[in-house]
Amino acid sequence: DAKTTQPPSMDCAEGRAANLPCNHSTISGNEYVYWYRQIHSQGPQYIIHGLKNNETNEMASLIITEDRKSSTLILPHATLRDTAVYYCIVRVEGGSNYKLTFGKGTLLTVNP
Amino acid sequence: DSGVTQTPKHLITATGQRVTLRCSPRSGDLSVYWYQQSLDQGLQFLIQYYNGEERAKGNILERFSAQQFPDLHSELNLSSLELGDSALYFCASSVGPGDSYNSPLHFGNGTRLTVT
């Protein structure tokens, strides 16, 4: 699976959009980009994933560049409860096994 | 609430002992995964079961073992415990064996194991 690079930490003001970048310059054509987050000491929570088109759900939007070498997770109106570590993961679909390799992620702190 | 239930929430035990962690997956999910999270290692994949059979293995020590039962709940057994085994142990579940991209993982809130 391709490696990802994320900034170790970011700050965001409550009510503003939080834009979390992820670099995955070695991504392969069949690898999807997944985002999970982990609020302190809780289990990771799935947010969104995509292959090459931009995706949106009730939690966030995922913008993937045309060359797929980077992506941005957007939380449109961050709240204090969005303070968490955000993990960007790329993985191959198909195949006989399934595991997610979590890196160090980005600690997003939403400030009042 | 992810629908994945882990018990117990906290466990304190001594070195050399053996413990069992339990996980009930979300209703309808056939795959169960175990992860370990310690302060210095981050989230580490241990093992996956699908419909009762071992599917994938990660960095699981020989002192650790797991199984998935016919009712799909899973247990992680940790034996000859060492201080370094102190960590959060998470269970996750998904619908399929991992072959479908529409099968994200849903995590429980973990068992915090402290070995003294």
Side-chain angles (χ1 to χ4, degrees), chain A residues 32 34 46 49 91 93-94 98, chain B residues 98-104:
Chain A
Y32 284 72
Y34 279 75
Y46 165 77
H49 73 280
R91 61 171 291 266
E93 295 302 334
Y98 183 133
Chain B
D99 295 322
S100 166
Y101 77 96
N102 269 330
S103 189

Side-chain angles (χ1 to χ4, degrees), chain A residues 49-60:
Chain A
H49 73 280
L51 181 62
K52 52 184 178 181
N53 297 323
N54 298 337
E55 303 286 345
T56 295
N57 63 21
E58 65 279 2
M59 288 184 69

